[in-house]
Structures are given as structure tokens and as C-alpha cells.
Amino acid sequence: MTVTRFAPSPTGYLHVGNLRTALFNWLIARKAGGTFILRIDDTDPERSKPEYVDQIKRDLEWLGLEWDRVEMQSARLDRYAVAAEELRGKGRLYECFETPAELDLRRKKQLNMGRPPVYDRAALALSEAEKDALRAERAAHWRFRLDHERIEWQDGILGPVSIDAASVSDPVLIRGDGQVLYTLASVCDDMDFGITDVVRGSDHVTNTATQIQIIAALGGAPVRFAHHSLLTGPQGEALSKRLGTLALKDLREQGVEPMALLSHMARLGSADPVELRQDMADLVAGFDISRFGAAPTKFDVSDLAGLSAKLLHGMEFDKVAADIAALGVPENLARDFWDMARENIETRAGMAPLWALCRDGVEPVVAPEDAEFVAQAMAMLPPAPRDATTWKAWTTAVKEATGRKGKGLFQPLRKALTGMDHGPDMSKLLPLLQAV
Ligand code: GLU
């Protein structure tokens, strides 16, 4: 049974970078008929906010990345305390007393001497008496003692990975104020929830190395890991600082279509071209994590507008019926309205002005030299109800009566009826115009 999870920290809004993680994990679970868990990593009480949890859920719902259940880390603190106790009992969790300033100074010294800034395990050499003295003056934090050996795994994207544990600092699992840190919480959850596959960003590779040892120390089963590359801007520039401006909720407000975004993200950085999918089932069927590469992935937000427009142009009526009804388009006109509108919009919001045009008409735009012609033509306009043949029949009759043809015939009529010199196919639009 495949079980995956998406584990955002509710300390901000989800952005396109998080979306890759969510989508890959969701696709793996759905493709295997498995379970997808939304895990809220909220062990940091100061930075975690309920409104971010709500927005994370709204974003995932908007995208159709539905989850089978939600787990909150803040509800599992007792479990983490038990795991910490187990690690202490096994001699794998040790008490440290360095202040951030002390650690910082040590790191700088190491770097100056050309050495990697790895924690020197000074705390392991403290006697009980020294520890007692330190305990009296400051709170202890707790580090996991890594076994100094190579940590190896077969990564679903990176291939074989091998990390020398001695090049990594023993990770802090519990802070001085007692707060359990993500590394321990995540391992406990992955074990307890039977997680089989973890996909996350390549910024977590070192975490993975340490977590592999923590899982083993707690007697857990190994997990399949895959680390996707991080997104960069179109020029290869780091996107991390700009990710705040690429929040999913903002893309949604800009009218980006969920399936356009998902289709893009399900292929970006893989060996396969982006293919627009209208349905999740197609997205699931075409997904293969082994097609993704380790190189940073270029992302250009401006691609999304074009993909969204293209998706809309090919979209079935059923997928927009609710939006059309919400605009107040009568049911008997709804399908014809969509058939007219879809090629003329970039986002769903573009339907509103088109419906206003149909419902209310516009102030006719008529050049002085066309005034007489337009008046004559309008007098010949067949009364409603009109159909797809009306425009052709009308303009043919007007052509015969006035001798005008081509652009000189059609353009003034379009401008008189729509106020614009380009726009929807007139034979589709004319039957929908309610005010003429
Ligand atoms: N809360 C972590 C993050 O957002 C989760 C990483 C993981 O998937 O384990 O980076």
C-alpha cells in the first residue's frame, strides 16, 4: 500500500515551489491507488497560524489535490516525547548547552581554518558535574548522535546518494524551550502513518540523511525518498526570494486555471514536454517521477497565462457551466454563449464583459462616413430570435442593398454592434445579443 504525505508548515502561503511537492506526492498516491495525507507541520507555535492552515486547504481544494486525511503535528507532542525518551535510552540523544552565539563563533573559527562547520560534539565530553552547573544557568537542547558512517539511499530522482555522516552536524531535535523540531516529528509521523514514499525539495537532502539514521534508531522501516530540484526564475536566478509573490492564492486570483498550473508542474523539469490535460485522471496516468532530472528547473510565471488561455479555449461546457450560470446567463443560452466566448477569453473573468455585451449591448461606435450605411443596415436586421445563419443572411442582404463588401461591409457593423473592431465571431455573437 502506497502512502504519501504533503507536509507544509503553516507559516505562510503555499507557492509554486510547494505545489511541486504537493503534486508529486499526490500523483504517486493516486497512481498507486494509495493514500495521500495532508500533514500540517505546526510544531512551531509562534510561527504557525490557523489562517495559513485554512488557506493551504483552500489552495489544495482549488487545485483538486484532495487528501484522505489531515494530521496535525501539534496534536502529537506526546508521541514525540516518547520517541525522544527512546532515543535518550539508546544513547542517541544528548544534552547540549551552547548558546547560538557560541555556536556561531565556533562555526566561524572552523570556516577560518578551512574546516567544514560541523558541530564538534563538545557537549559529549561534559562531566555530570559540568552539566549540572550548566543546567542551573540555562536550558538544554538535545541533539541526535549520528553514527559516523556513510548514509546511502537510492533516490527516486537523484539516483544513488551517499553522504558521509561525519560531514553533517548532529541535528538538534529538541530546542532549549522544549519545542520538538521538525526532524524528529517528521520521522515519528512517517513511521506511524506508514509513509512509503517521500518526495520533497532537494534542500532536504541533508535532512533525509539524518532522518534515515533516526528512523533506524527508532526501529522504523525505510522510506523511499525522492528529492526534486528547486525552481529558479527564467534566467536561472534563485526563486526563493520571489516565491512569496508566486503564492497559489495570487495565481488563482489572476485567473490561472488549476489544470493549466497542474499540467505545467507535472512535467516541468522532466524529460517530457508539457501537455495540457483537462482532467486529473490524465495527469495521473502520464506521471512518472523517474522522468525528472536533478538540475534546477526554470519556471516562468508568464507561461501560465498562455497555458490557461489555451486550456479554456478547448474546455468543455460542463467545466464552466457553474461560472456561466453565476453570471446570470439564461440556461437556454448558456451553451451557445460558451461556444462564442471561449475563444475570446484569457481567463474565466473574461466572460463577464462578454455577457454584459450580450445582455446590455453597447453604445454603437459609428464613423461619420458610415452613419448612413449603418442606419440602413440596422433597419434590415432580422428581429430576434436569431440563429447561427442570421449574420450571413443579413450581411448578404445588406451587401446587395448597399453595394458594400469585405471590410467596408463587416467592420462598421461589428463596431456598431460591439463597439470594438475585433472580437467574437459575429455569427455566434449576433444570436446572443439581447438588446438589439
Ligand atoms: N514542513 C517541511 C517543509 O515544508 C516538510 C518537509 C518534508 O516533506 O518532510 O519543508
Side-chain angles (χ1 to χ4, degrees):
M1 169 79 165
T2 299
V3 186
T4 67
R5 78 318 192 266
F6 172 50
S9 306
T11 55
Y13 298 120
L14 295 184
H15 49 65
V16 285
N18 305 127
L19 171 59
R20 280 189 108 198
T21 313
L23 177 62
F24 289 4
N25 284 295
W26 185 88
L27 286 167
I28 289 172
R30 291 294 170 256
K31 193 162 182 172
T35 300
F36 176 68
I37 297 174
L38 172 60
R39 189 183 88 197
I40 303 293
D41 285 3
D42 57 350
T43 51
D44 181 340
E46 260 150 51
R47 294 178 60 228
S48 300
K49 300 264 180 304
E51 52 269 35
Y52 289 129
V53 177
D54 294 342
Q55 188 59 44
I56 287 167
K57 290 180 179 170
R58 274 197 293 272
D59 289 338
L60 295 177
E61 274 164 2
W62 168 61
L63 290 163
L65 301 178
E66 81 287 356
W67 52 90
D68 298 300
R69 65 175 210 263
V70 181
E71 296 284 353
M72 310 287 290
Q73 288 195 327
S74 55
R76 292 176 39 82
L77 300 180
D78 291 350
R79 162 65 176 119
Y80 308 145
V82 170
E85 211 33 57
E86 188 179 337
L87 292 175
R88 272 186 205 105
K90 290 177 171 165
R92 297 301 294 271
L93 198 60
Y94 64 98
E95 220 173 350
C96 302
F97 299 90
E98 292 88 351
T99 63
E102 283 165 2
L103 290 172
D104 205 41
L105 194 68
R106 263 188 232 175
R107 268 194 296 267
K108 283 193 183 121
K109 276 191 194 154
Q110 288 169 310
L111 287 170
N112 281 344
M113 288 156 67
R115 290 217 304 262
V118 176
Y119 175 61
D120 60 7
R121 296 184 158 175
L124 280 178
L126 294 172
S127 67
E128 272 312 310
E130 285 168 324
K131 282 193 219 173
D132 277 341
L134 283 163
R135 280 187 195 117
E137 67 185 51
R138 43 177 109 157
H141 56 277
W142 294 79
R143 288 186 190 260
F144 178 75
R145 189 177 52 74
L146 290 166
D147 276 339
H148 282 175
E149 59 190 22
R150 293 205 80 83
I151 305 169
E152 301 188 322
W153 73 94
Q154 184 64 30
D155 194 279
I157 293 175
L158 303 176
V161 180
S162 171
I163 291 181
D164 180 3
S167 70
V168 180
S169 294
D170 288 340
V172 176
L173 301 190
I174 300 171
R175 289 202 327 194
D177 61 4
Q179 189 184 314
V180 173
L181 290 179
Y182 148 80
T183 310
L184 176 59
S186 183
V187 163
C188 292
D189 294 348
D190 289 343
M191 285 170 49
D192 293 358
F193 305 154
I195 301 296
T196 55
D197 296 77
V198 170
V199 183
R200 52 191 177 198
S202 47
D203 50 337
H204 280 290
V205 165
T206 309
N207 279 341
T208 295
T210 63
Q211 288 182 6
I212 285 173
Q213 283 207 359
I214 302 171
I215 294 172
L218 289 169
V223 177
R224 278 188 296 270
F225 288 102
H227 296 84
H228 61 72
S229 64
L230 300 185
L231 295 180
T232 71
Q235 257 54 266
E237 72 277 22
L239 210 55
S240 45
K241 291 212 176 63
R242 283 192 43 224
L243 282 172
T245 65
L246 294 170
L248 299 185
K249 72 179 186 49
D250 296 334
L251 297 179
R252 178 182 188 175
E253 273 163 29
Q254 288 157 25
V256 169
E257 283 293 318
M259 283 311 298
L261 182 55
L262 294 173
S263 300
H264 195 46
M265 282 300 170
R267 284 292 169 81
L268 199 67
S270 82
D272 302 311
V274 172
E275 280 177 284
L276 268 182
R277 308 288 197 176
Q278 294 276 357
D279 288 296
M280 288 300 232
D282 296 335
L283 209 63
V284 172
F287 181 74
D288 179 357
I289 192 130
S290 69
R291 304 288 291 159
F292 286 80
T297 301
K298 286 187 180 152
F299 171 78
D300 188 346
V301 68
S302 67
D303 291 340
L304 294 176
L307 286 170
S308 287
K310 206 166 145 196
L311 192 91
L312 281 173
H313 299 167
M315 195 172 272
E316 298 290 335
F317 169 73
D318 294 349
K319 297 212 163 88
V320 284
D323 300 79
I324 292 177
L327 281 179
V329 180
E331 221 179 308
N332 61 327
L333 299 182
R335 279 176 190 276
D336 289 345
F337 174 75
W338 178 237
D339 189 36
M340 175 279 296
R342 66 175 176 193
E343 297 148 17
N344 293 284
I345 55 174
E346 306 288 307
T347 65
R348 287 177 198 235
M351 288 195 286
L354 284 174
W355 175 242
L357 167 66
C358 294
R359 188 189 54 214
D360 308 329
V362 287
E363 198 55 48
V365 173
V366 183
E369 64 273 22
D370 293 327
E372 204 177 312
F373 162 73
V374 169
Q376 192 181 351
M378 291 310 287
M380 295 171 70
L381 180 65
R386 305 177 185 112
D387 63 24
T389 66
T390 310
W391 171 258
K392 180 96 177 46
W394 177 46
T395 51
T396 305
V398 171
K399 180 178 169 183
E400 274 164 21
T402 64
R404 286 216 193 193
K405 54 183 192 226
K407 214 176 163 196
L409 169 71
F410 298 117
Q411 197 71 336
L413 298 180
R414 173 185 286 282
K415 289 209 291 210
L417 290 169
T418 70
M420 304 177 288
D421 54 15
H422 66 278
D425 178 340
M426 289 304 293
S427 45
K428 290 183 180 176
L429 180 65
L430 186 56
L432 294 160
L433 295 179
Q434 312 291 293
V436 285

